[in-house]
Amino acid sequence: NIATDMANAVLDIFEFPNVAVDEGGHGGTGVTADRASLALEVLDQPRPDVGRVWFQERINRQANLNGQLFDALWHQETAQAKTLIESRADIWSISVAWPKTTLQVAAKWGLSEMCEILVQCGLSPFEKNIMTSDGSRRRIESWDAVEYAENNGHIELAKWLASQPDPMQAKEPKL
């Protein structure tokens, strides 16, 4: 949205970092927290120095929460993953090494219920190489969620994921 884009431009001027990384998340491969969701809130702070302190605390906390979400998915702890999402873990975060989306990780481990939640939230089961469902165009793994499920023996999940509409197709303008 335009307001978030403008807020991010202001953060660029003041040289705020684009991301924070929880180095220990997802089995030590690291998980990111993007500043986009925090940009507008930073501008609500009374002064730039207060905003910088608030931002650093918040983005580090968000990176840790996102790391916990990836760990819960990796350890196949669906209840914990759902609790973390309710606690504002960012479903749009990606792992750092071998960058995967939350949906790719859930599909790899055959977590059908989590895949359903993440698809309902707007993640695409078909995105690979470039993350498109959040508009960030960040680099991600070359297998989509369907391939992760299928290549790890979760055939029914792969079929279900393949049957889902691609949210990115729905965003295409109608001619």
Side-chain angles (χ1 to χ4, degrees):
N1 92 24
I2 293 172
T4 301
D5 290 345
M6 291 176 67
N8 273 304
V10 170
L11 295 184
D12 284 340
I13 291 168
F14 287 102
E15 299 179 347
F16 279 67
N18 287 320
V19 296
V21 177
D22 173 20
E23 298 290 344
H26 197 211
T29 64
V31 175
T32 64
D34 191 334
R35 76 173 187 197
S37 63
L38 303 175
L40 290 172
E41 293 178 65
V42 170
L43 297 183
D44 283 341
Q45 304 307 310
R47 296 187 326 266
D49 59 325
V50 173
R52 185 174 299 282
V53 169
W54 178 91
F55 173 81
Q56 200 60 55
E57 290 172 357
R58 182 65 193 273
I59 200 165
N60 287 338
R61 188 173 348 128
Q62 188 66 51
N64 182 266
L65 196 60
N66 297 349
Q68 290 177 48
L69 174 59
F70 272 83
D71 287 342
L73 294 171
W74 182 37
H75 294 290
Q76 303 164 33
E77 297 169 348
T78 299
Q80 178 66 14
K82 287 166 53 176
T83 298
L84 288 162
I85 291 170
E86 290 167 3
S87 299
R88 297 189 66 188
D90 184 4
I91 63 164
W92 307 103
S93 59
I94 59 174
S95 57
V96 176
W98 307 285
K100 292 178 189 63
T101 66
T102 52
L103 182 57
Q104 288 170 317
V105 173
K108 178 179 181 176
W109 297 109
L111 304 175
S112 300
E113 184 180 2
M114 283 308 308
C115 288
E116 185 174 339
I117 290 168
L118 294 168
V119 167
Q120 287 174 352
C121 288
L123 280 145
S124 172
F126 307 105
E127 63 189 343
K128 57 184 171 183
N129 299 315
I130 303 289
M131 186 163 185
T132 55
S133 57
D134 70 344
S136 69
R137 304 207 41 86
R138 292 175 286 170
R139 186 179 68 79
I140 57 173
E141 283 284 347
S142 60
W143 283 0
D144 61 26
V146 177
E147 292 170 288
Y148 267 108
E150 185 174 19
N151 291 327
N152 285 283
H154 311 294
I155 305 306
E156 290 305 311
L157 176 58
K159 288 178 185 176
W160 181 84
L161 286 165
S163 74
Q164 298 308 298
D166 185 350
M168 295 315 297
Q169 297 298 326
K171 292 181 183 178
E172 299 278 327
K174 306 272 192 243
L175 298 176

